Amino acid sequence: MSAEHPIVARMRLLRRMGFHQDCIYDECFATVTVYFWRVWRGVRDAVLAYSADECSAYRVWAEDFDERNPFVVDADLRLWGRVGDFLDVTAELLSLAHPRAPGHFPSGQPPAR
């Protein structure tokens, strides 16, 4: 019996973690792209997988996302972004805490000495 391919396992994990999966066409690169996305507590996470070696992912506030073009997100609006290998990029995305999690923003207190 053969083990499940790591890419297939990660795609299944993304779906279990609440991501939707679509295939969309990237006109800039003239290729079909596997697109994973979810909206979680006001944050949109997106993964654009061109191949196992070419992937980009980003996190933005849901209100800042333009559904007409998921391939382009203004750098000033991104909370997080990464380009690279599918497994590396998605592992980092899945390990991110929500931006409003305790400790994400400074407390306003001066640092302890």
Side-chain angles (χ1 to χ4, degrees), residues 13-98:
L13 176 62
L14 286 168
R15 290 188 299 270
R16 273 199 334 258
M17 299 294 292
F19 283 82
H20 301 271
Q21 179 180 346
D22 296 311
C23 286
I24 58 176
Y25 187 74
D26 184 342
E27 291 183 21
C28 182
F29 292 106
T31 188
V32 174
T33 305
V34 180
Y35 175 47
F36 293 92
W37 62 273
R38 73 176 175 187
V39 176
W40 173 55
R41 294 173 47 205
V43 170
R44 178 176 282 260
D45 291 327
V47 176
L48 298 158
Y50 296 93
S51 70
D53 299 328
E54 293 181 79
C55 178
S56 66
Y58 57 84
R59 174 175 277 183
V60 296
W61 293 113
E63 63 202 28
D64 292 332
F65 180 75
D66 182 358
E67 286 192 37
R68 295 170 294 175
N69 191 355
F71 297 100
V72 177
V73 175
D74 186 338
D76 292 340
L77 299 176
R78 265 191 310 242
L79 300 169
W80 172 87
R82 173 102 190 270
V83 175
D85 173 273
F86 178 77
L87 292 174
D88 292 340
V89 169
T90 56
E92 188 172 328
L93 174 63
L94 290 172
S95 71
L96 294 175
H98 190 277

Side-chain angles (χ1 to χ4, degrees), residues 98-111:
H98 190 277
R100 290 195 178 127
H104 181 77
F105 294 107
S107 66
Q109 300 294 327

